[in-house]
Structures are given as structure tokens and as C-alpha cells.
Amino acid sequence: MSKYSFLILSFFVILSASSCKRHKMHKKEIVAVDTLDSQPMKAEKPILVTDERTKAETPKVETPAVAKVDVKPAEIDFKYLNIKSKVNFSAGGEEQSFPVNIHIKKDSIIWLSIVVGLEGGRGIITKDSVIFLDRLHRTYYKYDFASLSKQFNFNLNYDLVQSILIGNMPIKKRETDVVEKQEGSFVIKQKEGFVRIENSIAEANLKLQKVNASDETGDSKMEIDYTNFLTITDLIFPQDIKAKIDAKKDGKVLQTSINLQHNKIEALDQSPGFAFSIPKSYVPK
């Protein structure tokens, strides 16, 4: 199992951000044009029309106010989750498919294990760091969110990864976001750094159905689709998560596809376990 595919498994948001990496932008100079007298022109006072017979002022016609569209997306609330999934990954002619077990403690820990006969790899994501063990090659990879965010010029964090895995909005709705009503859905438009994001929310159940993200140049883009929803203890989960990433490199478009299929989802009150340690014999990569 390659390092790249293992990262894809649980952390494809990082790869998405890397494909939407910041491009150098050139600021356009704004030239001020002076008026002849270098003074702003004063607006003429409106002329009041009056009926001489009645001395009554002509009624003023006001433009009706446009109603603001608002929506509150449905979020999955839980204590612990136990998920069994299958990952299909393809990029650059390489294709891989493998099962993964995922344990989540809300807003705290994401634990992953790949087992095909024997455990091939294990990973843990916390608020501060991301660590992956490659059992086959007795090596490990360690990252911290601060460094990753700086590298990709995008705010990468634990909440972003957790949201993508369970179908919540990757970036929570903010007051400054633009909301548009479309047929059967709401579209929430956001901007995070140099990335523009559109979240499609189903009108019927207010669940996230699609995320489109692209950099300001439009050269790199990502699309995530959430389908086949399942209701578990009043919570609505997407069973299928499909991500497609297009990124330009050397004039060519590189395509990456990640399909994550949740075959079993359990919402638990007790911890499913998060055992994790780095063996002394393992070499950092």
C-alpha cells in the first residue's frame, strides 16, 4: 500500500486542498481619475411634484424589500460512531480497493484500521495531528494541522475531516455566506482563503448532497457527492461518498477519484476503542 493511497483513505480533504493550491495572483493597479474641479459632484435635490388644486403631494412609490433566503443544514449529532467502509481509489492509472474500520469520538478522535487478513495500516487523527502507521513496511507518517494549513494555504483541521466523513458541511454555515434557493435545494456559497465552495442542501431533509470547490483560477476543482442516505436512530447518514478531484499540472489535467462506501454505521454511547501507539522499531517517513 502506497503512502499516497493511505492518505487518500481518510484524509482526502488534504489532497483536495493541495490540488486547489494557491496560485500567485497579480494585483491590478487602480488608477484614480480626477474630476475637472477635483470635487465630487453633488446630487441634485429631487423636485417635489404637488397638485395645485389639492396641494396634496404625489405619493412616493417604494421598491419592495427582497426577502433574505436562509437555511439551517441538518447536522449529524452523536457521541461515538463505529463505521465499516470500503474505499475505491484511482489516480494516474493506479487503482486500489480496500476495507477500512473507522471509530469516531465526536470532535475529538478519528481512528482507522485497514485489515485484509492482517492489519495493513492504522491511523489516528486528533485536533492537533495526523499519524499513520504502515504495518507492511514498519514505517509511520506524522503531520500537524498547522504545517499542513500553511503548506496548502487552506485552513485544514480536524472538524473538516470529520464533517467530510459523515456528511456534515465541511465548513459550517456562517452569517456572511450567500444562500440561493434553487429547485429542490438550497445552495450555500462560501469562500475560504483562495478556495470558493458551493454546498448543495436538499430541501426535503436539509442534508448536504454535494460540495463543489475550486481555486480562484478555476484550474483545480473538487466535487463530493453524498448519496444513498440511511436513517439510524433519527440521524440521517450518507452511505456513499464520492470525491472527484481535477488539478492541472504541466498543462495536463490530473484526475483523482475516491469512493467511500459505508457498509455499516453504528451510533454508540460507549467507546468502540482507540488503541494506538508507534512501535519503537518503526521508522518515520
Side-chain angles (χ1 to χ4, degrees), residues 72-263:
K72 185 178 180 180
E75 296 278 310
I76 294 175
D77 190 16
F78 63 94
K79 193 171 182 180
Y80 295 99
L81 288 179
N82 177 31
I83 305 173
K84 295 185 183 298
S85 304
K86 182 180 179 181
V87 177
N88 292 299
F89 159 72
S90 64
E94 178 186 1
E95 294 188 10
Q96 293 191 16
S97 179
F98 43 86
V100 57
N101 296 329
I102 305 172
H103 297 172
I104 304 177
K105 180 181 180 181
K106 185 185 176 185
D107 302 335
S108 180
I109 304 172
I110 299 173
W111 177 94
L112 309 104
S113 175
I114 297 175
V115 178
V116 184
L118 298 175
E119 185 178 55
R122 183 177 294 194
I124 194 162
I125 302 172
T126 65
K127 286 286 188 178
D128 300 320
S129 63
V130 181
I131 306 174
F132 293 105
L133 302 180
D134 183 346
R135 299 285 197 193
L136 302 180
H137 301 94
R138 303 180 70 82
T139 57
Y140 70 93
Y141 307 89
K142 186 174 183 179
Y143 310 88
D144 65 85
F145 282 114
S147 298
L148 289 169
S149 297
K150 186 176 181 181
Q151 180 183 353
F152 297 135
N153 291 294
F154 188 86
N155 184 25
L156 296 170
N157 53 62
Y158 173 93
D159 295 334
L160 193 66
V161 181
Q162 177 179 277
S163 295
I164 288 178
L165 287 175
I166 64 177
N168 287 344
M169 273 183 56
I171 299 176
K172 290 187 180 295
K173 183 177 173 294
R174 302 166 295 200
E175 288 294 327
T176 55
D177 295 340
V178 176
V179 181
E180 295 181 358
K181 177 69 179 70
Q182 297 185 0
E183 185 176 355
S185 67
F186 298 92
V187 176
I188 301 175
K189 297 184 177 181
Q190 301 174 308
K191 191 170 185 293
E192 184 72 17
F194 291 83
V195 179
R196 299 183 185 278
I197 305 166
E198 291 189 359
N199 306 273
S200 180
I201 310 296
E203 185 176 10
N205 57 14
L206 298 180
K207 286 297 300 179
L208 179 66
Q209 290 184 312
K210 183 187 290 287
V211 178
N212 285 301
S214 62
D215 67 1
E216 289 185 333
T217 67
D219 288 342
S220 301
K221 59 184 179 180
M222 174 189 70
E223 181 179 292
I224 305 176
D225 287 293
Y226 296 93
T227 58
N228 194 14
F229 288 87
L230 179 68
T231 302
I232 301 174
T233 60
D234 298 328
L235 302 176
I236 305 176
F237 289 86
Q239 289 184 278
D240 295 307
I241 303 172
K242 297 180 179 180
K244 184 175 71 173
I245 304 164
D246 293 341
K248 278 189 178 180
K249 185 178 181 181
D250 300 327
K252 296 181 179 180
V253 177
L254 304 178
Q255 293 187 335
T256 300
S257 176
I258 310 108
N259 295 343
L260 184 64
Q261 183 179 45
H262 294 329
N263 299 313

Side-chain angles (χ1 to χ4, degrees), residues 39-51:
Q39 296 293 331
M41 295 182 64
K42 295 182 179 179
E44 297 260 349
K45 290 186 177 180
I47 300 174
L48 184 64
V49 180
T50 306
D51 190 324

